[in-house]
């Protein structure tokens, strides 16, 4: 009877386990395709101490247990060897007929992952804590805003869910609530009231300098239009005969509100093209427009976005609605 193999602590090594001369352990196994694979660890058992100067990791037998469970459940070994970037690229390739803004968002995420070490990481090596740490790094080190990180996670979460559904992974590392990890520094863009809208439009129309902006701002307040790129037939052009984009109107509105607030005692809140759009949506909701009709006009892909406008009501709105019902 042959003598059983042992490690340098005289512990018996099981089938597939081996200890190298440098003390590191290796486990060899066959994947679902019959191909030989290996995993390594500086610890044999979970109770073993981690050697000084080595990065914390699971013990060999903990890794072995996960591999056996994955093989039993037919989880593809090594996450199919996909990197995070490759997984996201595959996910995006399957999203056809997306809107211009959505496609631009996908392109931005791809650009970020190409620059990040996280993007080159194999998908099965990223855990929940790694996903959280990366998003925290994007905010605290790279200075990205919450809204940008929300958009990035909005691509990574369904991409990793696709990997789970395809049996490449057991769990989705991005399945957590973002606000529980990253500080929400977003500025709420509340709609302005009808009176504020009327006062602002009257001010613009009467102002010698900014009256030239009246038509454009009136349209923004009364149509809910988005400021987009990639289209022709613009109503307003700049001095170089180029389409006026969101930044133009944002700057005009900023200067207009600043001038308004220098003149009048009751200040006007911050107004941007998006606030104009939000104000239109809120006004239509308060006027009783059918939510599905409003969703169509606003171009919201999700009805929940439209329904959120119904939450922007005040005491006066509620009072007026009750009086209307009382006299109906």
């Amino acid at each position: 009877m042959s003598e059983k193999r042992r490690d340098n602590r005289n512990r018996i090594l099981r089938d597939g386990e081996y200890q190298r001369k440098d003390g590191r352990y290796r486990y060899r196994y066959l994947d679902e395709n019959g191909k030989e694979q290996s995993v390594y660890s500086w610890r044999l058992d979970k109770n073993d101490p981690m050697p000084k100067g080595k990065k914390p990791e699971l013990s060999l037998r903990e890794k072995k247990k996960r591999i056996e469970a994955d093989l039993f459940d037919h989880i593809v070994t090594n996450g199919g060897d996909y990197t995070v970037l490759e997984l996201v690229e595959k996910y995006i390739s399957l999203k056809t007929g997306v809107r211009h803004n959505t496609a631009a968002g996908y392109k931005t995420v791809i650009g970020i992952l190409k620059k990040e070490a996280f993007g080159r990481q194999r998908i099965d090596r990223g855990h929940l804590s790694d996903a959280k740490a990366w998003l925290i790094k994007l905010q605290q080190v790279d200075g990205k805003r919450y809204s940008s990180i929300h958009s990035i996670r909005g691509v990574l979460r369904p991409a990793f869910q696709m990997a789970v559904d395809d049996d490449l992974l057991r769990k989705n590392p991005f399945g957590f609530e973002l606000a529980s990890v990253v500080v929400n520094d977003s500025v709420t863009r509340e709609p302005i009231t009808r009176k504020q809208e009327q006062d602002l439009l009257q001010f613009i129309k009467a102002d010698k300098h900014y009256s030239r902006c009246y038509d454009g701002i009136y349209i923004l307040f009364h149509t809910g239009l988005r400021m987009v790129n990639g289209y022709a037939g613009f109503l307003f052009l700049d001095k170089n005969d180029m389409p006026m984009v969101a930044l133009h109107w944002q700057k005009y509105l900023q200067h207009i509100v600043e001038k308004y607030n220098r003149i009048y005692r009751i200040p006007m809140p911050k107004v941007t093209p998006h606030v104009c759009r939000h104000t239109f949506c809120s006004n239509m909701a308060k006027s009783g427009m059918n939510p599905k009709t409003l969703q169509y006009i606003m171009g919201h892909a999700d009805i929940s976005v439209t329904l959120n406008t119904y939450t922007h009501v005040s005491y006066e709105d509620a009072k007026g609605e009750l009086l209307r019902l009382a006299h109906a």
Side-chain angles (χ1 to χ4, degrees):
M1 185 175 178
S2 59
E3 185 178 351
K4 292 184 178 296
R5 292 177 297 106
R6 297 175 182 269
D7 67 358
N8 56 18
R9 295 173 61 180
N10 203 35
R11 294 178 294 187
I12 294 175
L13 296 174
R14 301 169 185 169
D15 290 344
E17 296 176 352
Y18 174 79
Q19 187 176 33
R20 306 191 312 183
K21 291 182 179 179
D22 62 2
R24 197 179 188 194
Y25 294 93
R26 180 184 68 193
Y27 172 62
R28 283 181 175 174
Y29 65 98
L30 298 178
D31 63 20
E32 283 193 325
N33 298 317
K35 183 179 179 181
E36 187 177 274
Q37 304 285 351
S38 296
V39 292
Y40 299 85
S41 177
W42 289 103
R43 300 185 300 151
L44 177 64
D45 184 80
K46 65 179 180 179
N47 296 317
D48 291 350
M50 181 64 64
K52 188 176 181 180
K54 301 301 181 183
K55 183 179 178 181
E57 63 177 340
L58 294 175
S59 68
L60 189 77
R61 286 178 177 167
E62 287 175 304
K63 292 183 178 182
K64 178 181 176 182
K65 187 176 180 180
R66 286 191 175 186
I67 290 168
E68 290 172 344
D70 286 347
L71 289 173
F72 181 81
D73 292 334
H74 303 288
I75 303 295
V76 178
T77 305
N78 298 332
D81 289 324
Y82 278 100
T83 64
V84 174
L85 173 60
E86 290 170 341
L87 177 68
V88 171
E89 287 178 329
K90 179 181 179 181
Y91 167 73
I92 291 174
S93 72
L94 300 175
K95 303 293 287 184
T96 59
V98 297
R99 298 181 180 182
H100 174 81
N101 287 354
T102 303
Y106 287 159
K107 186 176 180 181
T108 298
V109 174
I110 291 295
I112 291 171
L113 289 175
K114 284 182 177 179
K115 298 176 183 177
E116 292 281 327
F118 185 81
R120 298 187 292 273
Q121 180 175 287
R122 208 171 69 194
I123 61 172
D124 63 312
R125 292 180 177 173
H127 305 295
L128 177 67
S129 59
D130 298 316
K132 290 181 176 181
W134 182 60
L135 295 183
I136 291 171
K137 178 255 183 188
L138 290 180
Q139 184 176 60
Q140 297 185 358
V141 178
D142 300 341
K144 294 192 180 299
R145 305 300 298 268
Y146 179 87
S147 57
S148 298
I149 297 173
H150 185 275
S151 298
I152 294 168
R153 202 284 297 264
V155 176
L156 285 163
R157 182 164 62 175
F160 271 87
Q161 187 57 47
M162 179 185 72
V164 172
D165 295 340
D166 286 349
D167 293 326
L168 299 177
L169 294 175
R170 185 175 292 277
K171 293 182 179 180
N172 186 341
F174 284 92
F176 53 84
E177 288 295 326
L178 184 62
S180 67
V181 177
V182 180
V183 177
N184 188 345
D185 56 3
S186 301
V187 177
T188 303
R189 293 171 291 192
E190 296 287 341
I192 62 176
T193 66
R194 290 182 185 273
K195 186 176 187 312
Q196 287 172 329
E197 177 190 334
Q198 292 168 359
D199 290 346
L200 185 62
L201 286 172
Q202 288 176 5
F203 173 77
I204 296 170
K205 190 173 185 179
D207 187 87
K208 291 182 179 180
H209 180 71
Y210 291 114
S211 58
R212 58 192 173 91
C213 304
Y214 177 81
D215 289 344
I217 295 174
Y218 183 93
I219 289 173
L220 289 176
F221 270 123
H222 289 86
T223 62
L225 289 178
R226 278 194 177 103
M227 309 300 293
V228 297
N229 299 317
Y231 293 89
F234 288 87
L235 293 175
F236 301 96
L237 303 175
D238 64 15
K239 61 183 179 181
N240 298 316
D241 289 331
M242 297 295 291
M244 290 176 65
V245 296
L247 186 59
H248 288 98
W249 296 105
Q250 185 169 319
K251 286 297 182 182
Y252 289 149
L253 284 163
Q254 176 187 337
H255 297 317
I256 289 168
V257 170
E258 287 174 353
K259 185 173 182 179
Y260 181 97
N261 288 342
R262 287 196 301 268
I263 297 172
Y264 295 99
R265 188 164 55 93
I266 301 177
M268 182 71 61
K270 183 177 181 179
V271 179
T272 65
H274 190 84
V275 168
C276 295
R277 173 175 161 80
H278 202 153
T279 299
F280 166 79
C281 190
S282 181
N283 288 341
M284 294 301 99
K286 292 173 184 177
S287 297
M289 180 177 285
N290 181 286
K292 292 300 292 184
T293 302
L294 186 53
Q295 178 191 5
Y296 175 79
I297 293 174
M298 297 301 295
H300 292 153
D302 190 340
I303 186 63
S304 65
V305 178
T306 312
L307 291 175
N308 281 339
T309 64
Y310 285 79
T311 66
H312 294 296
V313 295
S314 64
Y315 170 79
E316 292 301 324
D317 294 319
K319 180 180 177 181
E321 184 65 12
L322 289 172
L323 288 173
R324 182 185 69 80
L325 290 174
H327 292 88

